[in-house]
Amino acid sequence: MEITKICCIGAGYVGGPTMAVIAQKCPHLKITVVDLNQERIDAWNDENTDNIPIFEPGLSSVVAETRGKNLFFSNDVEKAIEEAQIIFISVNTPTKTYGKGKGMAADLKYIELCARQIAKVAKDNKIVVEKSTLPVRTAEAIKSILDNTGNGVQFQILSNPEFLAEGTAISDLLNPDRILIGGDQTPEGQKAIQALVDIYANWVPQDKILTTNVWSSELSKLTANAFLAQRISSINALSELCEKTGADINEVARAIGMDTRIGSKFLKASVGFGGSCFKKDILNLVYIAKSYGLNETADYWEQVIIMNDHQKKRFADKIVKTLYNTVAGKKITFLGWAFKKDTNDTRESAAIYIADDLINEQAGICVYDPKVNQKKILADLDYLETRSAAENAKSTKSFENPYDACQGAHAIAVLTEWEEFVDYDWQRIYDAMQKPAFVFDGRNILNKTEMQKIGFVYQAIGS
Ligand code: UDX
Ligand code: ADP
């Protein structure tokens, strides 16, 4: 089968950037990205590509180059499915909030809905590609739905997990460490794998394209994220020890990172990891391990999450303790709300949990984030259901610029590593704050000596 048309269900952080890059690298393919969310599709189609719903360095120019030529965004899910030979599923798979596996297992209702829709619409053979991170053996469920509810056409299911990190999505997609494609070991399965390999081969060297069976591919994605998150929890566990002993975590990280067997990446102590993947994927891994009765394995990985929750809690506690054991009625300014720099994504951001703790202590929270607005901040807090939306709105306010946000503040908490924070006029900020002026650097990005010279009481993670 010659591939000429592909579609992607889900126009989110994964689907949008991935399809934009495939469109750029494969001008011979027509690519349609569909989503149920009309507002999101309208934003992707906004005349000004700076207004697309996802902020990601370099994305807007790739979209400007390809949109309307071979890249299309639409709400017509059925038409796109019918036309395409390859269908990517890139919908959200949040952690279940109800029933069996609540708080741990992945909620597959969106995936199932997609599978049923594909089964209903497809009139010829299709290759269905799992792009969302899915627990091991999801492909089996998709296959069963497709085979039993479809119109008698043949489906091949591939697993092709996305390893892009937000904030560097475009360069990760252009220059991936590897592309992983899992499929059936049958001749038809191998043919489907080859069809997808041929697409990536337009810009990725063959030796970086890895093919495996479906289950290995699914598990590799969970495992990659678990290993990365484990490194952060390990360094964060040591950051607490450094604070007690007078060692400096940055020096420790540098010293161990120079051991090439360990390597320097993912050793930055922080207020805790966030994002849509790490927590969810580890919980998934834990759930799968438990369901096979592997309790030690489950507990081992769960500890990575426990450590991360502890790191966030510890940071909030430290602010309260340092501010003379009370923050009631005090103004605390957050610099950064996104879960990391260069993205407008806030899912599982440490800032949300720290704000929640501090609002419990009756602090007033002011926020400045270059890419996150007040509406999103309040929605994140409301989602926790700790208190009413009205109370959240009363305690939290976001600002258009950092200087207004810091005016009259008792303390500043740096929660995202946005590079622009380093270049602020910190003297001006100091002058506008209550004294003593506290800075809690949850990302270790500011210069301690300079901050102390200005007069700040400065505390960083792990030193
Ligand atoms: C991650 C994986 O890196 C990616 O391969 C996968 O496809 C999806 O999940 P992402 O969530 O976008 O990507 O961001 P990542 O850069 O991995 O950071 C995750 C969190 O860890 C962020 O909150 C980040 O600030 C934090 N982090 C990262 C640290 O605290 N210290 C570090 O050294 C690195
Ligand atoms: P990710 O980070 O995995 O890309 P997002 O939440 O950013 O996750 O994107 C997932 C998108 O999938 C959302 O825009 C959501 O509206 C869309 N979606 C979920 N279910 C369906 C469905 N059945 N059909 C079309 N789009 C869907």
Side-chain angles (χ1 to χ4, degrees), residues 143-213:
K143 186 158 181 49
S144 154
I145 292 169
L146 290 175
D147 288 346
N148 292 302
T149 48
N151 307 318
V153 300
Q154 295 292 310
F155 294 102
Q156 280 301 321
I157 322 288
L158 301 178
S159 158
N160 171 220
E162 191 46 74
F163 291 103
L164 66 81
E166 290 174 36
T168 52
I170 298 300
S171 67
D172 292 345
L173 284 161
L174 290 173
N175 254 318
D177 285 344
R178 75 327 207 160
I179 295 289
L180 185 56
I181 301 174
D184 275 354
Q185 303 305 300
T186 57
E188 299 78 39
Q190 294 301 307
K191 247 167 78 194
I193 291 180
Q194 194 54 47
L196 192 53
V197 168
D198 290 344
I199 291 179
Y200 285 109
N202 282 294
W203 78 98
V204 180
Q206 287 281 356
D207 61 346
K208 289 194 173 175
I209 305 179
L210 221 68
T211 61
T212 64
N213 76 35

Side-chain angles (χ1 to χ4, degrees), residues 54-87:
I54 283 164
F55 172 72
E56 192 62 67
L59 175 61
S60 107
S61 68
V62 179
V63 171
E65 188 187 322
T66 49
R67 198 181 56 190
K69 289 200 187 91
N70 66 330
L71 177 67
F72 302 89
F73 293 92
S74 156
N75 278 117
D76 196 341
V77 181
E78 300 204 341
K79 176 160 172 259
I81 294 175
E82 198 180 325
E83 280 185 1
Q85 293 117 352
I86 301 186
I87 301 157

Side-chain angles (χ1 to χ4, degrees), residues 267-280:
L267 281 181
K268 189 132 190 67
S270 69
V271 64
F273 60 74
S276 67
C277 286
F278 283 178
K279 182 173 174 189
K280 188 183 77 172

Side-chain angles (χ1 to χ4, degrees), residues 105-118:
D107 192 339
L108 298 179
K109 67 179 175 201
Y110 301 109
I111 296 280
E112 178 167 343
L113 227 111
C114 284
R116 289 191 186 279
Q117 203 160 15
I118 295 171

Side-chain angles (χ1 to χ4, degrees), residues 344-391:
N344 59 349
D345 194 352
T346 63
R347 286 176 287 182
E348 285 300 326
S349 180
I352 304 169
Y353 296 92
I354 290 159
D356 191 54
D357 276 357
L358 294 175
I359 297 171
N360 278 343
E361 294 293 331
Q362 302 186 354
I365 306 295
C366 296
V367 185
Y368 172 73
D369 185 292
K371 293 287 172 193
V372 183
N373 61 27
Q374 168 121 347
K375 191 172 152 211
K376 185 88 199 58
I377 293 168
L378 290 178
D380 287 336
L381 285 169
D382 293 347
Y383 188 75
L384 297 181
E385 295 183 348
T386 312
R387 60 191 77 73
S388 71
E391 285 171 293

Side-chain angles (χ1 to χ4, degrees), residues 153-385:
V153 300
Q154 295 292 310
F155 294 102
Q156 280 301 321
I157 322 288
L158 301 178
S159 158
N160 171 220
E162 191 46 74
F163 291 103
L164 66 81
E166 290 174 36
T168 52
I170 298 300
S171 67
D172 292 345
L173 284 161
L174 290 173
N175 254 318
D177 285 344
R178 75 327 207 160
I179 295 289
L180 185 56
I181 301 174
D184 275 354
Q185 303 305 300
T186 57
E188 299 78 39
Q190 294 301 307
K191 247 167 78 194
I193 291 180
Q194 194 54 47
L196 192 53
V197 168
D198 290 344
I199 291 179
Y200 285 109
N202 282 294
W203 78 98
V204 180
Q206 287 281 356
D207 61 346
K208 289 194 173 175
I209 305 179
L210 221 68
T211 61
T212 64
N213 76 35
V214 178
W215 320 130
S216 302
S217 168
E218 288 181 334
L219 186 59
S220 300
K221 166 71 190 202
L222 290 187
T223 311
N225 280 341
F227 268 69
L228 291 171
Q230 183 196 41
R231 278 173 74 95
I232 302 171
S233 274
S234 298
I235 201 79
N236 284 346
L238 291 171
S239 73
E240 190 171 20
L241 185 62
C242 286
E243 287 167 28
K244 291 271 183 277
T245 58
D248 181 323
I249 196 66
N250 296 316
E251 292 174 354
V252 175
R254 184 145 181 265
I256 61 173
M258 281 172 78
D259 186 325
T260 51
R261 293 164 305 172
I262 297 174
S264 60
K265 291 178 183 160
F266 274 74
L267 281 181
K268 189 132 190 67
S270 69
V271 64
F273 60 74
S276 67
C277 286
F278 283 178
K279 182 173 174 189
K280 188 183 77 172
D281 290 355
I282 295 172
L283 287 174
N284 249 284
L285 199 60
V286 170
Y287 184 71
I288 293 166
K290 273 196 182 149
S291 68
Y292 285 99
L294 310 177
N295 291 328
E296 288 76 9
T297 304
D299 291 348
Y300 176 80
W301 286 108
E302 193 166 20
Q303 193 58 36
V304 174
I305 304 281
I306 295 173
M307 187 59 226
N308 197 51
D309 289 340
H310 171 66
Q311 188 77 346
K312 292 181 274 187
K313 183 103 201 68
R314 190 168 86 75
F315 189 82
D317 287 350
K318 189 185 228 174
I319 293 178
V320 177
K321 200 165 158 217
T322 311
L323 297 185
Y324 317 109
N325 285 314
T326 175
V327 289
K330 290 183 183 168
K331 172 169 167 174
I332 301 173
T333 300
F334 284 18
L335 291 180
W337 188 268
F339 83 97
K340 63 187 262 193
K341 70 174 178 178
D342 292 338
T343 180
N344 59 349
D345 194 352
T346 63
R347 286 176 287 182
E348 285 300 326
S349 180
I352 304 169
Y353 296 92
I354 290 159
D356 191 54
D357 276 357
L358 294 175
I359 297 171
N360 278 343
E361 294 293 331
Q362 302 186 354
I365 306 295
C366 296
V367 185
Y368 172 73
D369 185 292
K371 293 287 172 193
V372 183
N373 61 27
Q374 168 121 347
K375 191 172 152 211
K376 185 88 199 58
I377 293 168
L378 290 178
D380 287 336
L381 285 169
D382 293 347
Y383 188 75
L384 297 181
E385 295 183 348

Side-chain angles (χ1 to χ4, degrees), residues 9-16 34-37 40 54 77 90-93 110-111 113-114 117 132-133 166 276 280 345 347:
I9 308 180
Y13 282 91
V14 173
V34 291
D35 203 296
L36 294 173
N37 183 333
R40 212 165 205 188
I54 283 164
V77 181
S90 219
V91 303
N92 32 341
T93 49
Y110 301 109
I111 296 280
L113 227 111
C114 284
Q117 203 160 15
S132 328
T133 310
E166 290 174 36
S276 67
K280 188 183 77 172
D345 194 352
R347 286 176 287 182

